[in-house]
Amino acid sequence: MSIIQENPEQYKQTFLSELARLNLQQKEAVDQTEGPVLVVAGPGTGKTQILTARIGRILEEGLAEPHNILCLTYTDAGVIAMRKRLLQFIGPTAYNVHIYTFHSFCNQVIQENIEIFADTRDLRPCSELEMIDVFRKILDDLPKTHPFKRLVGDVYYEQNRLGPLFDVMKKENWTAQYIHNAVDEYLESLPSRESFQYKRAYTDKNGKKYQKGSVKQKQIDDETKRMTTLKYASDLFVQYQEVLKDMKRYDYNDMILWVLREFQNPDSELLISYQERYHYFLVDEYQDTNGAQNSILSNLADYWEDANVFVVGDDDQSIYRFQGANMTNIVDYYEKYKEIIKTIVLQDNYRSTQPILDASKVLIENNQERLLNTLKKDIPT
């Protein structure tokens, strides 16, 4: 397979010009076509450029057909930008490369295998107004003895708690039992946590004395009450799914969970058909993937020994962290392939002025949770 097909000389020259524009770190990322690769890259360092150039390199060297490449990004705008750039130097072949958001990829899997997902065929996405009705029905159906049942005042007060929780549970593929176990483990650890111990001898307003290191029992009681409420809320997740099903609705995260459930079904051959289809995986904004999305990628890539997984992440800018994304996945990815992974850091910024870059560097380096600070001894900077 060669990228030089339609109007060959034009695309060849465009592609060579693209390669010539790359700096040393970018070129290293593009040329590392095999095995797991982690690229740490901030805004303005040419992330889209290296992703598309690397796809071009894979095709130019005949390592895979276009449909054997799966590129996952986070937004529809990212998909459009990547496809547009790819068109510039490989031409119409770009339309054969599978570039999706995680949600659109899962939707494609469902549409290609509608007989497997037949029970979802008649479902429609749940609107924001309908979602309010869903939560209110859950609360209306609760017995009078339930802690969330309010008979006076704002009887639907708890709906503001349920929505964000269920959203995170789906994105991270958490069950109520998982939350129960995590809460119990956390509560058990409270007496030994410094934040729940007095840092010096203390006498309260009633004259009761506390020694340094003694437990703040009221604070533990308050935290226990808060965490117990979380457990009660998580127990309603199954009912939430049942109400959606009865209404013939689904929410935005269900598509990923449907596909993940079928990928993990030992009696299904759906997963292996996609594992054998894709030989190369590229993921943009990897720091923003949540647990369910990362499980989709892992299920696909784990079929291959030393899988060709190329991820680009920026630990200084997790644009979807408020939606449940975190740095855990990118650190776990590094640890998973630690013995063979190639790590590359893109440092040259082509957008911001130098004073802005200098000021940002000082602030960023003080953040001890950064990937580069966490793995400093292993990743070249």
Side-chain angles (χ1 to χ4, degrees):
M1 169 68 196
S2 172
I3 67 168
I4 315 302
Q5 290 183 348
E6 305 87 354
N7 209 349
E9 191 58 34
Q10 173 190 341
Y11 295 130
K12 179 179 179 179
Q13 292 304 317
T14 302
F15 182 61
L16 292 176
S17 297
E18 183 78 4
L19 294 181
R21 293 173 54 205
L22 302 177
N23 62 39
L24 290 177
Q25 290 77 27
Q26 290 172 328
K27 190 173 188 306
E28 183 180 15
V30 168
D31 291 342
Q32 185 68 38
T33 57
E34 303 304 302
V37 181
L38 168 62
V39 177
V40 181
T45 54
K47 290 182 288 184
T48 301
Q49 185 181 17
I50 64 166
L51 284 161
T52 50
R54 189 172 188 272
I55 292 172
R57 175 67 84 196
I58 291 168
L59 296 177
E60 182 196 40
E61 294 183 4
L63 301 174
E65 296 293 322
H67 62 268
N68 297 137
I69 300 172
L70 176 62
C71 185
L72 296 168
T73 187
Y74 222 86
T75 64
D76 291 331
V79 171
I80 294 170
M82 202 168 297
R83 183 88 65 191
K84 182 178 180 181
R85 186 178 284 269
L86 200 55
L87 275 166
Q88 292 174 352
F89 57 85
I90 72 172
T93 301
Y95 289 110
N96 297 326
V97 177
H98 290 197
I99 306 175
Y100 298 102
T101 64
F102 279 93
H103 287 91
S104 64
F105 169 71
C106 288
N107 184 55
Q108 184 66 27
V109 172
I110 292 169
Q111 296 308 314
E112 289 177 350
N113 303 275
I114 197 65
E115 69 285 355
I116 295 176
F117 298 94
D119 57 340
T120 71
R121 187 180 305 174
D122 297 328
L123 303 184
R124 291 193 295 135
C126 192
S127 69
E128 291 186 16
L129 287 177
E130 288 174 326
M131 194 62 73
I132 294 174
D133 290 336
V134 169
F135 294 131
R136 292 190 172 187
K137 177 171 176 50
I138 292 172
L139 296 172
D140 285 341
D141 290 345
L142 292 177
K144 292 182 179 181
T145 55
H146 195 281
F148 287 179
K149 190 71 171 182
R150 293 170 179 249
L151 302 178
V152 295
D154 185 358
V155 296
Y156 298 118
Y157 174 81
E158 297 296 343
Q159 73 181 27
N160 297 321
R161 190 193 309 272
L162 299 180
L165 173 63
F166 295 163
D167 191 48
V168 172
M169 288 179 71
K170 287 194 175 185
K171 287 176 177 176
E172 298 299 336
N173 198 25
W174 290 344
T175 62
Q177 187 58 56
Y178 174 88
I179 291 179
H180 276 248
N181 293 341
V183 166
D184 290 343
E185 183 178 344
Y186 169 67
L187 292 179
E188 187 177 347
S189 73
L190 292 186
S192 62
R193 292 174 177 258
E194 289 187 6
S195 57
F196 290 88
Q197 298 173 350
Y198 290 104
K199 294 179 174 57
R200 62 178 180 81
Y202 168 72
T203 303
D204 66 18
K205 58 185 178 182
N206 295 319
K208 186 174 181 178
K209 297 182 181 295
Y210 299 90
Q211 299 299 316
K212 177 181 178 181
S214 59
V215 172
K216 299 177 180 177
Q217 190 57 51
K218 185 181 184 306
Q219 190 172 330
I220 287 180
D221 291 343
D222 290 343
E223 187 70 354
T224 300
K225 182 179 179 181
R226 191 172 71 89
M227 289 293 102
T228 301
T229 300
L230 175 61
K231 291 166 70 173
Y232 278 120
S234 70
D235 288 338
L236 297 177
F237 181 71
V238 172
Q239 187 175 346
Y240 168 66
Q241 291 292 76
E242 290 174 351
V243 173
L244 283 177
K245 185 176 181 180
D246 290 343
M247 293 175 60
K248 296 187 180 299
R249 297 292 186 270
Y250 66 89
D251 70 23
Y252 194 56
N253 297 299
D254 280 324
M255 287 187 296
I256 289 180
L257 293 183
W258 292 337
V259 172
L260 183 57
R261 178 188 62 195
E262 197 61 33
F263 275 0
Q264 295 175 339
N265 179 2
D267 297 323
S268 173
E269 294 187 355
L270 180 68
L271 175 60
I272 196 169
S273 68
Y274 285 91
Q275 287 175 325
E276 293 183 340
R277 174 186 299 184
Y278 296 119
H279 305 169
Y280 288 86
F281 305 90
L282 301 92
V283 186
D284 193 15
E285 305 291 359
Y286 188 66
Q287 77 281 352
D288 291 319
T289 56
N290 56 47
Q293 292 166 337
N294 198 49
S295 292
I296 291 287
L297 176 64
S298 294
N299 273 271
L300 291 168
D302 285 350
Y303 177 75
W304 300 99
E305 185 176 356
D306 301 342
N308 300 316
V309 182
F310 182 91
V311 306
V312 180
D314 174 12
D315 56 347
D316 298 324
Q317 186 189 35
S318 184
I319 59 175
Y320 285 91
R321 189 168 295 161
F322 69 96
Q323 292 188 353
N326 54 59
M327 290 303 301
T328 302
N329 288 335
I330 197 168
V331 174
D332 288 348
Y333 168 76
Y334 176 85
E335 292 295 333
K336 179 178 181 179
Y337 295 110
K338 187 173 182 178
E339 299 303 319
I340 57 173
I341 197 169
K342 177 71 174 179
T343 57
I344 301 166
V345 181
L346 303 187
Q347 295 178 319
D348 293 339
N349 187 298
Y350 299 98
R351 268 191 226 157
S352 303
T353 62
Q354 195 58 47
I356 293 176
L357 293 176
D358 291 342
S360 298
K361 186 172 185 292
V362 172
L363 292 173
I364 287 169
E365 287 181 344
N366 286 330
N367 181 0
Q368 294 305 307
E369 294 181 356
R370 295 186 68 221
L371 177 66
L372 291 183
N373 287 340
T374 303
L375 307 174
K376 199 166 187 178
K377 63 181 183 301
D378 299 311
I379 297 182
T381 57

